[in-house]
Structure formats: C-alpha cells, structure tokens
Amino acid sequence: MAALLAASARPNRIFEAVKSVVAATAVLAGKTRRALDSTVLDDAVATQDTVTQLIAAIRRVRREVPPPRR
C-alpha cells in the first residue's frame, strides 16, 4: 500500500489530511515532526473490522433467536 501511495499523484495526501485536522483541533500545537509508520492506522482498521464483524454477528443473532418469553 505504501508503494501505491508513493507512486500516486499526491503521495502526501494522508499527511495533509492529518495535518489539517491537527491544525483545526490544535491538539499538537507547536509540534511539526512526523513519522512514516502505518502501525497505528493498521491497528485502527483491524479494530474497526473487528467491531464491524461483532456488530454484524450480534444483529444476526437478534434476527435468528426469538426473544425470551415473559
């Protein structure tokens, strides 16, 4: 994925997007260093995928299992 991004017309677009969010929120005021490491992004995607799968499984169970009788 990094190779595709580097070969694209705007290889810095992720940094630009993150920089604009950081500037708008001022969470890192005065800090300008950046690191090229996608671990955080990969972890976020994996977590989101897991959460999405859990939600889908819970919804399937709710559709298939009748509610308890009271």
Side-chain angles (χ1 to χ4, degrees):
M1 183 168 147
L4 291 174
L5 184 61
S8 71
R10 290 184 53 223
N12 289 322
R13 65 184 174 270
I14 293 175
F15 295 120
E16 292 163 2
V18 171
K19 186 177 175 182
S20 69
V21 171
V22 169
T25 61
V27 294
L28 298 176
K31 301 191 190 287
T32 57
R33 231 173 42 162
R34 73 179 185 195
L36 182 58
D37 184 1
S38 63
T39 303
V40 174
L41 297 176
D42 289 343
D43 287 348
V45 170
T47 300
Q48 183 61 42
D49 288 348
T50 302
V51 170
T52 302
Q53 289 175 5
L54 285 170
I55 291 170
I58 290 168
R59 287 180 177 156
R60 280 193 301 274
V61 168
R62 286 179 65 190
R63 281 194 305 266
E64 299 297 325
V65 176
R69 292 184 177 209
R70 294 183 182 186

